[in-house]
Amino acid sequence: MISAVASSSSSSSMLSPKKYDVFLSFRGEDTRRNFTSHLYEALKQKKVETYIDEHLEKGDEISPGLIKAIEDSHVSIVVFSKNYASSKWCLVELIKILDCKKDRGQIVIPVFYEIDPSDVRKQTGSYEQAFAKHEGEPSCNKWKTALTEAANLAGWDSRTYRTDPELLKDIVADVLQKLPPRYQNQRKGLVGIEEHCEHIESLLKIGPTEVRTLGIWGMGGIGKTALATTLYDKLSHEFEGSSFLSNVNEKSDKLENHCFGNSDMSTLRGKKALIVLDDVATSEHLEKLKVDYDFLEPGSRVIVTTRNREILGPNDEIYQVKELSSHHSVQLFCLTVFGEKQPKEGYEDLSERVLSYCKGIPLALKVMGASLRRKSKEAWESELRKLQKISSMEIHTVLKLSYDGLDHSQKDMFLDIACFFKGRERDWVTRVLDAFDFFAASGIEVLLDKALITISEGNHIEMHDLIQEMGWEIVRQECIKDPGRRSRLWRQEEVQNVLKYNRGTDVVEGIILSLRKLTEALRLSFDFLAKMTNLRFLQFYDGWDDYGSKVPVPTGFESLSDKLRYLHWEGFCLESLPLNFCAEQLVELYMPFSKLKKLWDGVQNLVNLKIIGLQGSKDLIEVPDLSKAEKLEIVNLSFCVSLLQLHVYSKSLQGLNAKNCSSLKEFSVTSEEITELNLADTAICELPPSIWQKKKLAFLVLNGCKNLKFVGNEIVHLLSSKRLDLSQTNIERLPALPPSLKYLMAEGCTSLETNFTQHLVLHHMIQSRIPYLHKHPSNPGYYNNHECFFFPGDRITKACGFCTGDSSITIPYLPKSDLHGFIYCIIFSEGIYGKRSSVLSCSINQDGIQVGQDQKTIYIPDLFLDHVLFWYHDIRQFDRIREVCDHFSDLTISFEHKHLFRGVKITWGIKECGVFPVYARASGFKVVGSNSKETFECESITQISNNESQPRPRAIRVEAGVRGSNNENEEDRNNFLQQKRMRTSP
C-alpha cells in the first residue's frame, strides 16, 4: 500500500536531501550547560536530527566543517543570550546562517533567552557593550545588520514563559511544523500514503481518552513499517513523549519483562505518549512490551505492526495494509527504476510484465526496480525469464518470516495450499486437509491471521502470487537439482519427468497433474509409483473419458501407496485397483470416467473413507461392500450405466447419487442418516418401503424413472423432505405430501391426475403455514423464496377464488384484516422454453399504485403440454402495505415471465392465472372465494376432488377474513361499492 523510494532530483535546494534537521547556534559559555542542552535533548527525543557544536569557540573564523553543517541543515535555531554578540565566532556563524536563508531557503528561528529582543534588534544593553569592543572590525556593520535582520524574524521570548520546559515544548512543536519534516521528506518518497494515514488517524482518535492500541497488519513487504514510521513522524509532536522500537522480532531474545526499563521508554512513565512497536511476531512479545501500559497517561497511543493478526486483542483497532493499486504500483516502480512516474519510452511492455509479477507488493516493486535500474532490455528479459523458475531471494527472505513462525502441521497446510489448493473452495480444502490430520479449521485461521492466505467473497482460498512463489521456493530448496526428492510435485513438466522416468522417492507426499495439458500419452512402467511409499495426495485431473489413455497404466500395476488419503484419478484405465492396495488410510476416493468394473475384491477396512466418486464409469458393474465404512458420507455413481443393482450397507451415508444409472433396477440403502437421494433416470419400478422411514431424507429425486408408476402413501412419513422431483415418471396419483415439502417438480408426468394434484398442493400449502405462523413470524420470506410446485395442468381448479384467462387479474374488493398472503396459480402453455433459468415476477397494484411485488427464479424445461405452478406470497413482503387501510380496492395482480436472450428481454408462456387469498386465524388458515362475503375451509382432499365436477363449494359461515357479523360485512361492502359508483359517475 505504501513504500519509500529515493527522492527524485529537484531544482529547489529546499527540497534536496539534508543531513541535519536543525543546526543550533548559541553562545556556549551562556547556555551550553542549561537551556541549549535541554533544547537539544528535547529535539532528540522527537527524533529530530540536530547538529550541536561540541567544541569551544576558538578564534574569529568558523571551521569548514561547521559551515558544511549549517548548509546541510533545514532549520537553524539561534539562541540569543546576554553575551551572544560578544563572540565573533557566533556573529560569523549568524552571517552564514542568514546567507543560507537567502540562498538555500533555510528556516531561521530566533530564541531570545533572558534578553529583550529589542536589545538584539537595536544593539542596546549588553549588545551595545559587546560592539564597543568590536569597534574597528571590518565586519562590524555586517554583524549589526545581521542581528537586526534575525531579531525581526518571528521567534520565541523566554521572558513570556513561567518555566523553561513550557518554552522548550513550544519551540519543538514549532520546529516540527516548520521543518520540511522528515514526515514530509519521507512522504515525498512514498506512494499512496495520505489516505491511509487519514484512516488510521481516525482509528487512533487522538484525544484525552484511555490508552488505545492500534495494529497495522499485513503480509511481509506490504509497507507496514513505512506507514508506522510516517505516522510516528507526523504525530509524535502531539504527545508529551514518544518512542519507536524497531525490529521487535529480531530483538525478542533480548526483551526483558519490563520493556520500559531497558530503553529510553523509561522516560515515558506518567506521560501522554506515542509508542510504536514495529514487527511484533508473537503475543508473548507483545505482552512483555505492554507490561507498563498502566503507567502511561490517558490519551497515549500504541501502534503495533505485525504479520500476525492473532496477537492483537479483541478491543484493539486493526488496520489491514493491502496491495498497491495498479496506478500507485506504476508510480512506485517507475520512480525506483527510472526516477520518474511513467515508464521510459520503449520499456512499457517490460514494465507491465514486472508489475504483473509484483502484484502490488511495495517490497517487490522496489527490489525489482533497483535490480533493473540502468539495465538493458536484454537484461530485463533475462531477469523476467529467471523469475519464472526462481523467485527473488531478497523478496523470498522477507515473505518467509511469516512461514517460519508456523508449527509443523501449519507449514504443511501452507505448502499444500501453495502447491495444490490455491483458488479452491474453503470447505473443500478444509475437508481435504483434515484428511491429512492437519487440524485444518484452526490452521486456516492461523494462516489468515498471518496474512498468508485470504478468503474471497465466493469463499475460496486465495494467496498472493508472491507468497505462493515463496511456498514453491521452500519446496524447491528441499532438493534443487532433483524434483523427485521433493515433498510436493505440481509443475507440469517436472511431474511428467518424474513419472515417465520413475524418479520418485519416498520423500514425495503429493502429486498433482492436469491430464488436459498433456500433449501426448505418458509412457509409464508398471511400478512408476512404487518408490513413493509416503504418497498421501494424488490428483490426475481434467481428464474426461477421452483423456484416460494419456496415463496408460500397464498390466501388472501394483504400486499404489497404502498411505494415500486422497486419491483423484480421472480416466483410470484398468478394471480394478491393485490387488495389494490397502485402502485403510483412504479418506476420499474420486475416480470418475474410469474403466473400472469394480474397485477391489473382498471387504476392505474402510475406517476412514468419507467420499466415493465414480461417476461416468460406464463399465462399473459392482460396488464394494461398504459395511465397514463407518464414516462414509457421500457416494456418487451417476452415469454408471452398467450398474444393475445397488445395495449400500452403511450406517453413516448422507448422500447417494445414482442419476442416469439407466440399467439400475434393484436398489436399497440402510443408512438412517441419508438426507439426499437421486435416482433420476434409473430403471427402478418401485422404491423399497424402508425409504419412507428415512426421517432425515430432505431431497428425493425420481425424475425420468419411467418404470415408476406409484409412490405409496408412506411418502408422508418423510418428515424432513423438502424437495421431491418426479419429472418424466409415469406416476398417476400422489398421496398426501410430506409436511415439510417446499418444492415439487413433476414436469412431464402425463399420467398425473392434475385436478386432484392441484387440490392436494393447495391443501398442503395451507396446512404447512400453520406451524410457520407460530414459529417464524419474523421471517415472512422464508417459505415464499423457496416454495414452488410444478406439474401438468391445462386449467386452474374451480376452487380458485379468482382466476382469469390472462396474465393479470383484478379483485374489486378484499378485506385486509387477517389477510396473510396469496397463493398464486399460473398455467404455462406448452412450448420451447430453452431449458434455461428465467424470472417469474408479480406486481400488486391498488388503484394504479404499486403496493407490493415479488419474483422468483425458476427453471422451466421445454414443455410438450400445459403445466401449472403454485407459489405463495406473504403479505408482509408488500412494500407499502401500511398505506392500505382496512381493505383493498381494485387490487390488480399481474404476472410476467421473462428471460434475457442475447441482451433482449423475452416475455412469454403465461396462459392463465389465479389467486387464492389466504386468511389466518388462531385455528388455522382459510381461503376466500370470489364473493368477498364467502370463505371456505380447505376440506379433505377426497371431498374436494369429489366435488370438482359440481358447482363451487357452498359458502361456510364467515369466521375469518372479515370481522363482525355477516350483515355488517355485507353493509361495509355495499357502502364501499356505492362510494366507488359515486366517484366514477359522470
Side-chain angles (χ1 to χ4, degrees):
M1 174 175 278
I2 53 177
S3 184
V5 295
S7 300
S8 58
S9 59
S10 171
S11 59
S12 171
S13 60
M14 192 170 86
L15 297 179
S16 60
K18 298 289 187 180
K19 184 175 182 180
Y20 303 106
D21 294 319
V22 172
F23 178 88
L24 285 179
S25 176
F26 61 99
R27 179 77 164 95
E29 293 179 1
D30 287 359
T31 63
R32 181 185 297 277
R33 292 182 178 275
N34 44 61
F35 178 78
T36 300
S37 63
H38 295 156
L39 176 59
Y40 175 76
E41 288 299 324
L43 291 168
K44 180 183 176 183
Q45 189 179 48
K46 292 298 182 182
K47 306 299 181 184
V48 176
E49 194 66 34
T50 305
Y51 180 89
I52 184 170
D53 186 10
E54 299 292 348
H55 303 90
L56 295 175
E57 299 94 336
K58 295 180 180 179
D60 298 338
E61 298 296 327
I62 59 177
S63 66
L66 201 61
I67 293 173
K68 186 72 166 77
I70 295 172
E71 292 175 344
D72 275 350
S73 298
H74 284 295
V75 176
S76 282
I77 298 178
V78 182
V79 182
F80 291 114
S81 56
K82 181 178 180 179
N83 297 313
Y84 183 89
S86 65
S87 169
K88 295 178 183 179
W89 180 290
C90 288
L91 294 171
V92 172
E93 198 172 77
L94 180 63
I95 294 290
K96 180 61 181 177
I97 288 171
L98 293 174
D99 286 344
C100 286
K101 176 181 179 293
K102 178 181 178 181
D103 299 334
R104 298 173 178 269
Q106 188 176 94
I107 297 170
V108 179
I109 300 176
V111 176
F112 305 98
Y113 187 72
E114 296 183 352
I115 189 170
D116 190 330
S118 66
D119 286 348
V120 181
R121 186 181 306 111
K122 299 176 181 179
Q123 294 89 54
T124 56
S126 63
Y127 278 61
E128 182 179 13
Q129 297 171 10
F131 272 96
K133 297 179 181 180
H134 297 326
E135 195 67 37
E137 289 288 343
S139 300
C140 190
N141 289 334
K142 287 184 178 180
W143 294 341
K144 289 182 178 182
T145 301
L147 287 169
T148 301
E149 180 183 346
N152 281 325
L153 298 173
W156 300 92
D157 186 349
S158 68
R159 299 175 305 159
T160 64
Y161 284 84
R162 187 171 58 86
T163 64
D164 279 0
E166 294 175 355
L167 171 62
L168 292 170
K169 181 179 179 180
D170 283 352
I171 293 173
V172 171
D174 185 32
V175 169
L176 290 171
Q177 287 183 340
K178 289 183 177 178
L179 271 177
R182 277 175 308 131
Y183 158 66
Q184 292 180 2
N185 262 349
Q186 189 179 27
R187 183 176 58 182
K188 289 180 293 185
L190 293 171
V191 174
I193 182 72
E194 275 306 315
E195 59 196 78
H196 310 298
C197 283
E198 290 174 5
H199 192 143
I200 293 179
E201 287 179 61
S202 70
L203 294 175
L204 286 170
K205 297 175 183 175
I206 296 173
T209 58
E210 73 284 356
V211 177
R212 186 185 299 272
T213 299
L214 178 136
I216 298 178
W217 168 67
M219 63 181 285
I222 200 70
K224 302 182 296 296
T225 299
L227 179 53
T229 303
T230 302
L231 287 163
Y232 181 81
D233 291 332
K234 181 179 183 181
L235 302 177
S236 56
H237 72 277
E238 300 184 28
F239 295 83
E240 296 172 351
S242 58
S243 180
F244 192 111
L245 188 60
S246 61
N247 300 318
V248 170
N249 190 36
E250 293 181 11
K251 302 170 183 175
S252 59
D253 293 338
K254 302 176 182 178
L255 289 177
E256 298 178 4
N257 288 334
H258 296 274
C259 179
F260 290 177
N262 61 38
S263 74
D264 61 354
M265 284 199 290
S266 59
T267 63
L268 302 181
R269 290 177 181 271
K271 293 182 179 180
K272 176 186 172 183
L274 174 65
I275 301 171
V276 175
L277 307 175
D278 178 47
D279 192 22
V280 182
T282 69
S283 55
E284 289 80 7
H285 294 165
L286 188 58
E287 287 305 314
K288 288 181 180 179
L289 295 165
K290 290 172 68 175
V291 166
D292 289 338
Y293 275 19
D294 291 341
F295 294 94
L296 295 174
E297 283 293 300
S300 294
R301 296 292 179 264
V302 180
I303 297 175
V304 178
T305 74
T306 183
R307 294 178 175 86
N308 186 2
R309 180 175 55 185
E310 190 179 24
I311 72 168
L312 299 167
N315 298 321
D316 296 340
E317 296 285 354
I318 299 177
Y319 183 80
Q320 182 180 5
V321 189
K322 297 184 178 180
E323 296 87 348
L324 286 169
S325 66
S326 57
H327 171 69
H328 286 144
S329 294
V330 171
Q331 284 191 14
L332 176 57
F333 175 70
C334 292
L335 282 170
T336 306
V337 70
F338 302 122
E340 52 193 49
K341 293 184 178 180
Q342 298 297 327
K344 185 178 178 180
E345 185 177 357
Y347 283 79
E348 293 88 352
D349 291 343
L350 288 167
S351 296
E352 187 62 36
R353 288 168 60 187
V354 176
L355 292 168
S356 177
Y357 171 79
C358 295
K359 294 291 193 303
I361 300 298
L363 170 69
L365 291 162
K366 289 195 301 177
V367 169
M368 292 302 298
S371 67
L372 296 171
R373 192 182 298 142
R374 295 184 295 274
K375 296 288 180 65
S376 66
K377 292 182 182 180
E378 290 76 16
W380 281 52
E381 288 280 5
S382 176
E383 184 67 19
L384 287 167
R385 286 196 302 271
K386 176 184 175 184
L387 287 172
Q388 291 178 352
K389 294 189 175 182
I390 305 173
S391 62
S392 165
M393 289 308 298
E394 188 172 351
I395 299 171
H396 169 85
T397 300
V398 173
L399 297 180
K400 189 173 177 288
L401 292 174
S402 296
Y403 170 84
D404 291 337
L406 302 173
D407 66 27
H408 181 72
S409 67
Q410 292 161 2
K411 287 179 178 179
D412 274 334
M413 271 192 291
F414 170 78
L415 295 179
D416 277 356
I417 293 172
C419 297
F420 304 137
F421 305 141
K422 177 185 173 183
R424 301 297 297 269
E425 201 269 333
R426 178 179 182 170
D427 292 341
W428 181 87
V429 174
T430 302
R431 192 180 76 222
V432 175
L433 293 176
D434 273 335
F436 306 142
D437 295 332
F438 285 164
F439 312 102
S442 60
I444 286 175
E445 290 296 328
V446 171
L447 299 182
L448 285 168
D449 287 338
K450 289 183 176 291
L452 289 169
I453 62 173
T454 59
I455 304 297
S456 71
E457 291 183 2
N459 202 36
H460 290 77
I461 292 183
E462 300 293 346
M463 178 182 288
H464 193 281
D465 288 355
L466 291 180
I467 291 182
Q468 183 180 38
E469 287 192 11
M470 180 264 289
W472 291 348
E473 183 61 22
I474 290 171
V475 176
R476 193 182 76 89
Q477 291 291 331
E478 293 173 353
C479 187
I480 295 175
K481 297 292 186 181
D482 187 356
R485 294 185 177 276
R486 300 175 193 161
S487 61
R488 295 159 179 86
L489 298 172
W490 70 94
R491 285 197 171 100
Q492 191 83 6
E493 63 279 5
E494 292 179 347
V495 174
Q496 290 179 227
N497 185 277
V498 169
L499 297 181
K500 185 176 180 179
Y501 297 105
N502 198 4
R503 293 178 176 172
T505 67
D506 60 357
V507 176
V508 180
E509 297 178 24
I511 299 175
I512 188 168
L513 175 69
S514 171
L515 303 180
R516 193 173 295 276
K517 294 179 181 179
L518 293 176
T519 56
E520 60 181 10
L522 292 176
R523 298 179 179 177
L524 304 173
S525 62
F526 72 93
D527 61 346
F528 74 104
L529 293 175
K531 299 177 185 176
M532 302 185 213
T533 54
N534 288 309
L535 193 66
R536 57 181 169 83
F537 173 82
L538 178 63
Q539 185 173 26
F540 294 158
Y541 70 104
D542 266 356
W544 302 94
D545 52 351
D546 56 336
Y547 285 85
S549 60
K550 288 192 174 180
V551 188
V553 182
T555 303
F557 172 68
E558 294 184 356
S559 54
L560 213 51
S561 169
D562 290 346
K563 294 185 178 179
L564 270 173
R565 302 291 186 93
Y566 183 92
L567 174 58
H568 178 166
W569 192 331
E570 297 185 17
F572 184 73
C573 65
L574 299 182
E575 294 183 357
S576 68
L577 290 171
L579 293 175
N580 62 353
F581 172 59
C582 176
E584 186 171 340
Q585 298 295 321
L586 205 59
V587 177
E588 295 197 21
L589 173 66
Y590 191 69
M591 304 183 77
F593 314 109
S594 70
K595 300 297 182 183
L596 288 167
K597 290 187 175 181
K598 60 181 178 180
L599 284 172
W600 48 68
D601 289 318
V603 180
Q604 287 258 19
N605 188 20
L606 306 174
V607 291
N608 293 298
L609 189 62
K610 291 184 177 181
I611 296 176
I612 297 177
L614 299 173
Q615 60 268 36
S617 298
K618 297 179 180 180
D619 299 327
L620 189 71
I621 58 175
E622 178 184 323
V623 174
D625 186 334
L626 300 173
S627 57
K628 292 189 177 181
E630 298 177 354
K631 298 180 181 178
L632 188 64
E633 296 175 0
I634 297 173
V635 174
N636 189 345
L637 302 169
S638 58
F639 294 91
C640 293
V641 296
S642 299
L643 197 61
L644 297 175
Q645 57 182 1
L646 177 60
H647 302 286
V648 182
Y649 303 111
S650 168
K651 296 181 180 180
S652 57
L653 187 67
Q654 298 174 17
L656 176 60
N657 187 354
K659 177 182 178 180
N660 283 103
C661 291
S662 54
S663 301
L664 183 64
K665 293 183 178 180
E666 295 183 23
F667 162 81
S668 65
V669 60
T670 60
S671 174
E672 298 298 324
E673 302 299 315
I674 192 145
T675 60
E676 299 185 26
L677 178 59
N678 191 337
L679 297 171
D681 297 299
T682 60
I684 60 173
C685 299
E686 60 180 358
L687 292 170
S690 61
I691 287 296
W692 312 119
Q693 307 303 319
K694 310 301 183 186
K695 296 182 179 181
K696 296 184 179 181
L697 185 61
F699 300 95
L700 177 59
V701 182
L702 300 169
N703 64 290
C705 296
K706 298 187 181 299
N707 295 335
L708 187 64
K709 295 183 179 181
F710 178 74
V711 177
N713 290 324
E714 295 89 348
I715 191 173
V716 77
H717 296 138
L718 294 178
L719 299 178
S720 298
S721 182
K722 297 179 179 65
R723 180 185 178 96
L724 181 60
D725 193 336
L726 300 169
S727 301
Q728 301 298 326
T729 65
N730 289 317
I731 288 178
E732 298 173 354
R733 173 175 283 207
L734 289 173
L737 299 176
S740 60
L741 190 71
K742 293 187 294 184
Y743 178 92
L744 170 66
M745 177 63 76
E747 174 265 323
C749 293
T750 56
S751 302
L752 195 63
E753 294 182 8
T754 181
N755 292 328
F756 177 84
T757 306
Q758 287 192 46
H759 287 288
L760 175 70
V761 167
L762 182 61
H763 177 80
H764 172 78
M765 294 180 76
I766 293 175
Q767 293 301 313
S768 66
R769 317 233 79 71
I770 295 174
Y772 165 64
L773 179 65
H774 302 295
K775 295 181 180 178
H776 306 283
S778 62
N779 189 5
Y782 178 73
Y783 265 87
N784 185 45
N785 292 335
H786 299 81
E787 218 170 14
C788 181
F789 298 83
F790 189 74
F791 48 88
D794 59 359
R795 61 189 179 92
I796 297 175
T797 173
K798 291 180 181 181
C800 182
F802 305 93
C803 60
T804 179
D806 199 352
S807 62
S808 178
I809 188 169
T810 298
I811 303 175
Y813 177 88
L814 200 64
K816 177 185 174 185
S817 177
D818 295 327
L819 181 65
H820 195 265
F822 297 111
I823 294 176
Y824 301 136
C825 182
I826 300 168
I827 301 294
F828 286 89
S829 58
E830 63 179 272
I832 305 300
Y833 287 82
K835 297 182 179 180
R836 61 171 62 89
S837 294
S838 53
V839 175
L840 177 61
S841 59
C842 172
S843 177
I844 302 96
N845 294 267
Q846 177 176 265
D847 290 330
I849 300 174
Q850 186 179 74
V851 294
Q853 59 180 335
D854 196 11
Q855 67 177 30
K856 66 192 304 103
T857 301
I858 59 175
Y859 172 83
I860 297 184
D862 296 339
L863 301 178
F864 298 100
L865 68 163
D866 296 346
H867 278 64
V868 61
L869 179 141
F870 278 82
W871 165 23
Y872 183 79
H873 189 182
D874 197 305
I875 193 174
R876 287 173 292 179
Q877 288 187 313
F878 286 23
D879 300 330
R880 304 173 67 174
I881 187 62
R882 293 184 179 180
E883 298 179 21
V884 180
C885 298
D886 60 345
H887 61 262
F888 291 95
S889 60
D890 287 338
L891 188 67
T892 301
I893 303 177
S894 304
F895 301 96
E896 184 181 50
H897 180 221
K898 61 186 177 182
H899 78 94
L900 289 177
F901 181 69
R902 296 180 179 176
V904 178
K905 184 177 79 170
I906 300 176
T907 304
W908 83 115
I910 296 179
K911 179 179 179 181
E912 186 177 338
C913 68
V915 176
F916 295 85
V918 179
Y919 284 83
R921 58 173 295 178
S923 62
F925 287 84
K926 305 289 188 291
V927 177
V928 72
S930 57
N931 183 338
S932 63
K933 179 182 174 181
E934 300 175 351
T935 62
F936 63 90
E937 295 190 34
C938 192
E939 305 173 52
S940 73
I941 297 305
T942 304
Q943 290 175 312
I944 293 178
S945 178
N946 293 337
N947 291 334
E948 180 62 26
S949 60
Q950 305 300 321
R952 291 179 183 268
R954 182 175 60 82
I956 297 175
R957 185 170 183 272
V958 178
E959 293 181 346
V962 183
R963 292 181 179 176
S965 68
N966 292 351
N967 293 334
E968 290 173 344
N969 292 326
E970 183 68 19
E971 183 179 351
D972 288 343
R973 180 171 180 271
N974 290 337
N975 288 338
F976 164 75
L977 294 175
Q978 177 64 25
Q979 293 172 6
K980 181 176 177 66
R981 283 193 294 270
M982 291 175 62
R983 291 197 304 268
T984 57
S985 62

